[in-house]
Amino acid sequence: MNIAIVGAQWGDEGKGKIIDILSKDSDFIVRYQGGNNAGHTVVVGGKRYIFHLIPSAILRSNKTCVIGNGVVVDPKALLEEIEVVRKQRIKVDKTNLKISLNSHIVFPYHRVLDKLREEKGTNKIGTTGRGIGPCYSDKVSRNGIRFADLLNPAVFRLKLKDNLKEKNEIFNKVYHFKTFSFQDIYKEYSGYARQLKEFACDTALLLNKAAKNGKSILFEGAQGTFLDLDFGTYPYVTSSNSISGGLCVGTGVSPDKIDKVIGVVKAYTTRVGEGPFPTEFTSGLMDKIRQKGMEYGATTGRPRRCGWFDAVMVRYAITINGISELAVMKLDVLDNLKTIKICTAYKFKGKVCKDFPLDYEVMQKATPIYEEHPGWQEPIAKVATYRLLPLNARKYIERLEKISGANIRYVSIGSKREDTLLRTK
Ligand code: IMP
């Protein structure tokens, strides 16, 4: 069975945990977009691991982890991550990690440009500052440098020279920033090429062969539907297609090979960075939920903005991604609340809209229409099965299911692998 896991909100839904659980029964675990802007946290055996580029399934033996062509790879960050994993005595070598020769490489000038645009531009996105947008821009402009180029010294030399010629002009004239030295980058990145060479692979062929031979593939989406370049709250989005459709382009695996799409949501909503957020808390609840849910970015440590569950968004995400099952994470964070709200629709200029608005003004100014539910007001972290959850907690989940329109199959009540309740009807 080939399964895609996607975020149905603004990222940080807890996909890492569901991926970790499902990877047990998968042979190949594949990243298809994004880069080290992502941060997937998993807690195994009391240890907390945060992965940015390597699929978290690297923690399991006999799995092949793949970084697909749709990913942008910062080799420095990747090598650091490999080292951290190896220090835990976990194997990372060419037998369990494969990197697409077509993936694009993040350079120092991408990182610097990302930061300069945020500091000096007029439209601050609140990016992670990892150079993701500028790297994807180069890919689309057809002057990007791919992993295959990095491995070929003659090609790398030519492409880097070309890039720096144009980019140094921009750094100098537009941003009044120092220019980049060809020699320094060439030397540094040739070193990375030597270290990463063993992982190079035509991952599209590898995955298609695997699918043909009946192996199971788990596609791990990074970020979330509303950070998707096309379907998110543009321009406050990331620069890749994080929806399930993105996996075909980002891996070379065709849509007919995808058996199921699982969407991951929090029992409430969070977002990092700028942009519209209709159900954002305006009261003291912001601090309360942020503290209880430890809502700080896994990549940048920035405090996440928090708000109520938004069914308008999740319904849209279910449609766009073809989600048939949902995992609801962090239900325990709502333990102490007397009442819990769910946004069912928006109101703008007296009109009710039930579908996610594409108009930027509506997105910014719409007010949520809420329904209120009584909280359960008791700790649920130690509950062993779904049926043992307090009645009001089950009623909340059942309401989320009805109003969203996809089966809720997993309910998470804590950070450990074991704290995930399987819901069977
Ligand atoms: P970028 O991907 O660094 O360009 O950032 C663009 C937007 O996506 C910003 O609002 C970031 O906070 C957000 N973003 C990027 N990656 C993640 C993630 O893994 N989780 C949550 N938000 C993210």
Side-chain angles (χ1 to χ4, degrees):
M1 168 102 91
N2 301 329
I3 301 175
I5 312 271
V6 293
Q9 293 161 326
W10 274 296
D12 304 322
E13 296 91 350
K15 295 178 291 295
K17 189 178 176 197
I18 297 297
I19 291 159
D20 175 54
I21 292 167
L22 294 181
S23 63
K24 182 169 165 275
D25 300 317
S26 309
D27 302 300
F28 289 77
I29 299 86
V30 188
R31 272 284 300 273
Y32 59 88
Q33 45 71 232
N36 61 325
N37 48 350
H40 290 167
T41 310
V42 286
V43 181
V44 184
K47 263 197 195 133
R48 186 179 211 88
Y49 298 86
I50 301 179
F51 293 96
H52 300 286
L53 273 163
I54 308 177
S56 56
I58 203 83
L59 298 176
R60 298 187 181 276
S61 50
N62 303 321
K63 307 288 173 192
T64 307
C65 293
V66 178
I67 295 178
N69 57 279
V71 177
V72 289
V73 179
D74 184 328
K76 186 168 186 268
L78 176 60
L79 284 163
E80 281 166 11
E81 203 170 319
I82 291 174
E83 202 183 315
V84 170
V85 178
R86 280 179 179 158
K87 271 202 181 131
Q88 306 289 328
R89 294 174 198 284
I90 293 161
K91 178 184 84 166
V92 187
D93 62 22
K94 63 179 179 191
T95 62
N96 67 342
L97 179 65
K98 310 276 183 191
I99 304 171
S100 168
L101 281 157
N102 280 345
S103 60
H104 279 246
I105 301 295
V106 177
F107 284 87
Y109 48 78
H110 292 134
R111 288 193 296 265
V112 172
L113 185 58
D114 194 358
K115 287 182 184 144
L116 286 173
R117 274 189 187 150
E118 288 282 288
E119 283 163 21
K120 303 197 171 181
T122 47
N123 196 21
K124 187 174 156 62
I125 305 289
T127 72
T128 59
R130 301 295 190 265
I132 306 301
C135 185
Y136 277 116
S137 301
D138 277 358
K139 173 177 178 176
V140 177
S141 308
R142 292 157 294 180
N143 59 336
I145 300 178
R146 301 165 313 149
F147 189 26
D149 304 327
L150 189 68
L151 296 179
N152 182 329
V155 176
F156 178 39
R157 177 175 283 274
L158 203 74
K159 290 202 170 192
L160 183 62
K161 271 217 160 110
D162 249 18
N163 266 285
L164 286 180
K165 216 160 124 192
E166 185 193 31
K167 288 183 181 14
N168 276 338
E169 286 288 303
I170 297 174
F171 280 112
N172 186 5
K173 300 218 168 97
V174 179
Y175 293 103
H176 310 295
F177 193 83
K178 66 178 172 48
T179 52
F180 288 88
S181 140
F182 168 81
Q183 277 310 334
D184 289 355
I185 298 184
Y186 185 79
K187 194 166 161 233
E188 181 187 346
Y189 274 67
S190 299
Y192 298 149
R194 280 191 292 277
Q195 292 177 77
L196 291 174
K197 196 173 171 197
E198 63 167 314
F199 304 111
C201 176
D202 181 337
T203 51
L205 278 186
L206 176 83
L207 292 171
N208 277 291
K209 206 159 141 193
K212 201 171 166 193
N213 291 335
K215 301 282 183 200
S216 57
I217 308 175
L218 187 66
F219 297 92
E220 75 170 74
Q223 289 85 45
T225 302
F226 295 91
L227 288 173
D228 181 277
L229 181 59
D230 285 75
F231 294 98
T233 46
Y234 191 90
Y236 301 100
V237 294
T238 192
S239 300
S240 62
N241 288 112
S242 45
I243 61 162
S244 59
L247 81 84
C248 297
V249 183
T251 62
V253 173
S254 56
D256 61 309
K257 301 204 176 61
I258 314 306
D259 299 302
K260 184 159 58 172
V261 182
I262 299 178
V264 186
V265 292
K266 271 182 195 156
Y268 46 101
T269 311
T270 62
R271 140 162 243 179
V272 217
E274 311 299 315
F277 185 169
T279 65
E280 186 167 14
F281 295 134
T282 48
S283 63
L285 264 180
M286 179 73 88
D287 275 345
K288 208 167 161 181
I289 297 295
R290 186 181 285 151
Q291 293 311 326
K292 180 120 206 281
M294 291 188 294
E295 295 297 355
Y296 296 90
T299 300
T300 58
R302 289 179 293 174
R304 294 179 186 141
R305 299 157 65 190
C306 306
W308 296 116
F309 187 91
D310 187 336
V312 180
M313 287 176 64
V314 175
R315 273 198 302 266
Y316 193 68
I318 287 169
T319 305
I320 297 293
N321 290 288
I323 293 169
S324 58
E325 284 181 3
L326 280 175
V328 177
M329 315 305 282
K330 291 192 158 183
L331 186 65
D332 55 307
V333 173
L334 305 181
D335 275 357
N336 302 327
L337 302 182
K338 212 166 162 189
T339 52
I340 302 172
K341 291 184 187 178
I342 302 174
C343 167
T344 56
Y346 302 143
K347 202 168 196 178
F348 181 70
K349 290 189 176 163
K351 266 198 186 148
V352 172
C353 42
K354 290 196 163 177
D355 293 322
F356 193 73
L358 302 185
D359 184 306
Y360 185 70
E361 191 192 356
V362 185
M363 234 184 261
Q364 287 279 6
K365 297 186 184 160
T367 50
I369 299 175
Y370 288 117
E371 55 180 37
E372 276 196 26
H373 295 265
W376 44 97
Q377 292 182 277
E378 57 177 294
I380 57 170
K382 300 229 155 34
V383 166
T385 64
Y386 177 78
R387 300 217 170 274
L388 294 175
L389 280 175
L391 179 64
N392 282 350
R394 277 180 285 138
K395 276 190 168 167
Y396 181 64
I397 291 292
E398 279 148 32
R399 183 62 188 148
L400 293 189
E401 178 172 84
K402 186 144 195 266
I403 201 162
S404 305
N407 293 330
I408 296 178
R409 181 112 173 94
Y410 307 90
V411 177
S412 173
I413 51 165
S415 58
K416 295 193 285 304
R417 243 180 212 168
E418 317 69 89
D419 299 332
T420 311
L421 310 176
L422 195 64
R423 184 162 169 261
T424 43
K425 286 201 182 166

Short mmCIF file of all heavy atoms in Angstrom, two decimals, residues 130-164:
data_model
loop_
_atom_site.label_atom_id
_atom_site.label_comp_id
_atom_site.label_asym_id
_atom_site.label_seq_id
_atom_site.Cartn_x
_atom_site.Cartn_y
_atom_site.Cartn_z
N ARG A 130 15.86 29.83 5.55
CA ARG A 130 16.74 28.75 5.11
C ARG A 130 17.08 28.81 3.62
O ARG A 130 17.66 27.88 3.06
CB ARG A 130 16.11 27.38 5.42
CG ARG A 130 15.81 27.14 6.90
CD ARG A 130 17.10 27.09 7.69
NE ARG A 130 16.88 26.62 9.05
CZ ARG A 130 16.71 27.42 10.11
NH1 ARG A 130 16.71 28.73 9.97
NH2 ARG A 130 16.54 26.91 11.33
N GLY A 131 16.64 29.85 2.95
CA GLY A 131 16.98 30.01 1.52
C GLY A 131 16.08 29.21 0.60
O GLY A 131 16.39 29.02 -0.59
N ILE A 132 14.95 28.75 1.13
CA ILE A 132 14.08 27.85 0.36
C ILE A 132 13.47 28.56 -0.86
O ILE A 132 13.57 28.05 -1.99
CB ILE A 132 12.94 27.30 1.28
CG1 ILE A 132 13.54 26.63 2.54
CG2 ILE A 132 12.00 26.38 0.52
CD1 ILE A 132 14.48 25.50 2.32
N GLY A 133 12.87 29.74 -0.63
CA GLY A 133 12.24 30.48 -1.74
C GLY A 133 13.24 30.81 -2.85
O GLY A 133 13.01 30.49 -4.02
N PRO A 134 14.39 31.43 -2.52
CA PRO A 134 15.37 31.75 -3.57
C PRO A 134 15.87 30.51 -4.31
O PRO A 134 16.14 30.57 -5.52
CB PRO A 134 16.50 32.43 -2.78
CG PRO A 134 15.81 33.07 -1.63
CD PRO A 134 14.72 32.10 -1.24
N CYS A 135 16.00 29.39 -3.63
CA CYS A 135 16.47 28.17 -4.32
C CYS A 135 15.43 27.68 -5.32
O CYS A 135 15.74 27.36 -6.47
CB CYS A 135 16.81 27.08 -3.29
SG CYS A 135 17.52 25.62 -4.06
N TYR A 136 14.15 27.65 -4.88
CA TYR A 136 13.10 27.25 -5.82
C TYR A 136 12.97 28.26 -6.95
O TYR A 136 12.64 27.90 -8.08
CB TYR A 136 11.75 27.10 -5.10
CG TYR A 136 11.56 25.76 -4.43
CD1 TYR A 136 11.44 25.65 -3.05
CD2 TYR A 136 11.48 24.59 -5.17
CE1 TYR A 136 11.24 24.43 -2.42
CE2 TYR A 136 11.29 23.35 -4.56
CZ TYR A 136 11.17 23.27 -3.18
OH TYR A 136 10.98 22.06 -2.59
N SER A 137 13.21 29.56 -6.67
CA SER A 137 13.14 30.57 -7.74
C SER A 137 14.16 30.24 -8.82
O SER A 137 13.87 30.32 -10.02
CB SER A 137 13.45 31.97 -7.22
OG SER A 137 12.57 32.32 -6.22
N ASP A 138 15.37 29.88 -8.40
CA ASP A 138 16.41 29.52 -9.37
C ASP A 138 16.01 28.29 -10.17
O ASP A 138 16.27 28.20 -11.38
CB ASP A 138 17.74 29.25 -8.65
CG ASP A 138 18.50 30.54 -8.36
OD1 ASP A 138 18.01 31.62 -8.75
OD2 ASP A 138 19.58 30.48 -7.72
N LYS A 139 15.39 27.34 -9.51
CA LYS A 139 14.95 26.12 -10.20
C LYS A 139 13.98 26.49 -11.32
O LYS A 139 14.13 26.06 -12.46
CB LYS A 139 14.27 25.18 -9.19
CG LYS A 139 13.62 23.95 -9.81
CD LYS A 139 13.03 23.05 -8.74
CE LYS A 139 12.34 21.84 -9.34
NZ LYS A 139 11.83 20.91 -8.33
N VAL A 140 13.01 27.34 -10.99
CA VAL A 140 12.00 27.73 -11.98
C VAL A 140 12.62 28.62 -13.06
O VAL A 140 12.24 28.55 -14.23
CB VAL A 140 10.80 28.40 -11.28
CG1 VAL A 140 9.77 28.88 -12.28
CG2 VAL A 140 10.15 27.43 -10.30
N SER A 141 13.60 29.44 -12.68
CA SER A 141 14.27 30.30 -13.67
C SER A 141 15.27 29.54 -14.53
O SER A 141 15.93 30.13 -15.38
CB SER A 141 15.05 31.43 -12.98
OG SER A 141 14.26 32.10 -12.10
N ARG A 142 15.46 28.28 -14.20
CA ARG A 142 16.36 27.37 -14.94
C ARG A 142 17.83 27.70 -14.79
O ARG A 142 18.63 27.38 -15.66
CB ARG A 142 15.93 27.28 -16.42
CG ARG A 142 14.60 26.59 -16.57
CD ARG A 142 13.92 26.94 -17.83
NE ARG A 142 13.54 28.34 -17.83
CZ ARG A 142 12.92 28.94 -18.83
NH1 ARG A 142 12.62 28.26 -19.90
NH2 ARG A 142 12.59 30.20 -18.76
N ASN A 143 18.17 28.35 -13.70
CA ASN A 143 19.60 28.51 -13.42
C ASN A 143 19.99 27.86 -12.09
O ASN A 143 21.04 28.16 -11.53
CB ASN A 143 20.03 29.99 -13.48
CG ASN A 143 19.27 30.84 -12.50
OD1 ASN A 143 18.18 30.47 -12.10
ND2 ASN A 143 19.82 31.95 -12.09
N GLY A 144 19.12 26.97 -11.60
CA GLY A 144 19.43 26.24 -10.36
C GLY A 144 20.57 25.25 -10.57
O GLY A 144 20.89 24.90 -11.71
N ILE A 145 21.15 24.82 -9.47
CA ILE A 145 22.23 23.82 -9.54
C ILE A 145 21.73 22.57 -8.84
O ILE A 145 21.36 22.60 -7.67
CB ILE A 145 23.53 24.37 -8.90
CG1 ILE A 145 23.97 25.64 -9.65
CG2 ILE A 145 24.62 23.30 -8.88
CD1 ILE A 145 25.21 26.32 -9.10
N ARG A 146 21.66 21.48 -9.60
CA ARG A 146 21.11 20.23 -9.06
C ARG A 146 22.23 19.39 -8.44
O ARG A 146 23.41 19.64 -8.67
CB ARG A 146 20.41 19.44 -10.18
CG ARG A 146 19.26 20.20 -10.85
CD ARG A 146 18.87 19.52 -12.14
NE ARG A 146 20.07 19.23 -12.93
CZ ARG A 146 20.21 18.22 -13.76
NH1 ARG A 146 19.22 17.39 -13.98
NH2 ARG A 146 21.35 18.03 -14.40
N PHE A 147 21.81 18.36 -7.73
CA PHE A 147 22.78 17.47 -7.10
C PHE A 147 23.69 16.86 -8.17
O PHE A 147 24.91 16.76 -7.99
CB PHE A 147 22.02 16.40 -6.31
CG PHE A 147 22.87 15.53 -5.42
CD1 PHE A 147 24.08 15.98 -4.90
CD2 PHE A 147 22.44 14.25 -5.08
CE1 PHE A 147 24.86 15.17 -4.07
CE2 PHE A 147 23.21 13.44 -4.25
CZ PHE A 147 24.42 13.90 -3.76
N ALA A 148 23.11 16.49 -9.32
CA ALA A 148 23.91 15.91 -10.41
C ALA A 148 24.97 16.90 -10.90
O ALA A 148 26.10 16.50 -11.23
CB ALA A 148 23.00 15.52 -11.58
N ASP A 149 24.62 18.19 -10.93
CA ASP A 149 25.57 19.22 -11.37
C ASP A 149 26.71 19.35 -10.36
O ASP A 149 27.87 19.52 -10.73
CB ASP A 149 24.88 20.58 -11.51
CG ASP A 149 23.69 20.53 -12.44
OD1 ASP A 149 23.75 19.74 -13.40
OD2 ASP A 149 22.71 21.24 -12.20
N LEU A 150 26.33 19.26 -9.09
CA LEU A 150 27.33 19.40 -8.02
C LEU A 150 28.38 18.28 -8.11
O LEU A 150 29.55 18.47 -7.79
CB LEU A 150 26.60 19.33 -6.67
CG LEU A 150 27.38 19.64 -5.41
CD1 LEU A 150 27.77 21.11 -5.38
CD2 LEU A 150 26.53 19.32 -4.17
N LEU A 151 27.92 17.12 -8.57
CA LEU A 151 28.82 15.96 -8.63
C LEU A 151 29.73 15.98 -9.87
O LEU A 151 30.63 15.15 -9.99
CB LEU A 151 28.01 14.66 -8.60
CG LEU A 151 27.21 14.42 -7.31
CD1 LEU A 151 26.43 13.11 -7.40
CD2 LEU A 151 28.13 14.39 -6.08
N ASN A 152 29.45 16.87 -10.79
CA ASN A 152 30.27 16.96 -11.99
C ASN A 152 31.07 18.28 -11.94
O ASN A 152 30.52 19.36 -12.20
CB ASN A 152 29.36 16.93 -13.23
CG ASN A 152 30.14 16.98 -14.52
OD1 ASN A 152 31.22 17.58 -14.58
ND2 ASN A 152 29.61 16.36 -15.55
N PRO A 153 32.37 18.22 -11.60
CA PRO A 153 33.14 19.44 -11.36
C PRO A 153 33.09 20.45 -12.50
O PRO A 153 32.95 21.65 -12.26
CB PRO A 153 34.58 18.93 -11.17
CG PRO A 153 34.41 17.51 -10.73
CD PRO A 153 33.17 17.00 -11.40
N ALA A 154 33.13 19.96 -13.74
CA ALA A 154 33.14 20.91 -14.87
C ALA A 154 31.80 21.64 -14.96
O ALA A 154 31.75 22.87 -15.15
CB ALA A 154 33.43 20.14 -16.16
N VAL A 155 30.73 20.91 -14.83
CA VAL A 155 29.39 21.52 -14.90
C VAL A 155 29.17 22.46 -13.70
O VAL A 155 28.68 23.58 -13.85
CB VAL A 155 28.29 20.42 -14.92
CG1 VAL A 155 26.90 21.03 -14.89
CG2 VAL A 155 28.45 19.52 -16.14
N PHE A 156 29.57 21.98 -12.54
CA PHE A 156 29.39 22.78 -11.32
C PHE A 156 30.12 24.12 -11.45
O PHE A 156 29.56 25.19 -11.17
CB PHE A 156 29.87 21.98 -10.11
CG PHE A 156 29.76 22.74 -8.81
CD1 PHE A 156 28.67 23.56 -8.55
CD2 PHE A 156 30.75 22.63 -7.84
CE1 PHE A 156 28.56 24.27 -7.35
CE2 PHE A 156 30.65 23.34 -6.64
CZ PHE A 156 29.56 24.17 -6.41
N ARG A 157 31.36 24.05 -11.90
CA ARG A 157 32.19 25.26 -12.06
C ARG A 157 31.49 26.28 -12.97
O ARG A 157 31.32 27.44 -12.61
CB ARG A 157 33.53 24.82 -12.68
CG ARG A 157 34.52 25.90 -13.00
CD ARG A 157 35.82 25.27 -13.48
NE ARG A 157 36.59 24.74 -12.37
CZ ARG A 157 37.42 25.46 -11.63
NH1 ARG A 157 37.60 26.73 -11.93
NH2 ARG A 157 38.08 24.93 -10.64
N LEU A 158 31.00 25.79 -14.10
CA LEU A 158 30.36 26.66 -15.08
C LEU A 158 29.08 27.30 -14.52
O LEU A 158 28.86 28.51 -14.62
CB LEU A 158 30.01 25.78 -16.30
CG LEU A 158 29.84 26.47 -17.62
CD1 LEU A 158 31.20 26.88 -18.17
CD2 LEU A 158 29.15 25.51 -18.60
N LYS A 159 28.27 26.47 -13.90
CA LYS A 159 26.97 26.96 -13.41
C LYS A 159 27.14 27.91 -12.24
O LYS A 159 26.42 28.90 -12.12
CB LYS A 159 26.09 25.78 -13.00
CG LYS A 159 25.61 24.97 -14.18
CD LYS A 159 24.37 24.15 -13.86
CE LYS A 159 23.79 23.58 -15.14
NZ LYS A 159 22.48 23.02 -14.99
N LEU A 160 28.09 27.60 -11.37
CA LEU A 160 28.31 28.48 -10.21
C LEU A 160 28.83 29.84 -10.68
O LEU A 160 28.38 30.88 -10.20
CB LEU A 160 29.29 27.82 -9.22
CG LEU A 160 29.54 28.61 -7.95
CD1 LEU A 160 28.26 28.78 -7.13
CD2 LEU A 160 30.60 27.92 -7.07
N LYS A 161 29.73 29.79 -11.65
CA LYS A 161 30.30 31.05 -12.20
C LYS A 161 29.18 31.92 -12.77
O LYS A 161 29.09 33.11 -12.47
CB LYS A 161 31.30 30.72 -13.32
CG LYS A 161 32.70 30.53 -12.80
CD LYS A 161 33.75 31.09 -13.79
CE LYS A 161 35.04 31.33 -13.04
NZ LYS A 161 36.10 30.44 -13.38
N ASP A 162 28.33 31.29 -13.57
CA ASP A 162 27.20 31.98 -14.19
C ASP A 162 26.28 32.62 -13.17
O ASP A 162 25.87 33.76 -13.30
CB ASP A 162 26.38 30.94 -14.97
CG ASP A 162 26.50 31.15 -16.45
OD1 ASP A 162 27.46 31.84 -16.86
OD2 ASP A 162 25.65 30.61 -17.18
N ASN A 163 25.97 31.81 -12.15
CA ASN A 163 25.06 32.29 -11.09
C ASN A 163 25.65 33.48 -10.36
O ASN A 163 24.96 34.47 -10.11
CB ASN A 163 24.78 31.16 -10.09
CG ASN A 163 23.51 30.41 -10.44
OD1 ASN A 163 22.42 30.93 -10.22
ND2 ASN A 163 23.65 29.23 -11.02
N LEU A 164 26.93 33.37 -10.01
CA LEU A 164 27.53 34.43 -9.19
C LEU A 164 27.65 35.74 -9.96
O LEU A 164 27.54 36.82 -9.39
CB LEU A 164 28.88 33.99 -8.64
CG LEU A 164 28.79 32.97 -7.50
CD1 LEU A 164 30.17 32.58 -7.01
CD2 LEU A 164 27.97 33.50 -6.33
#
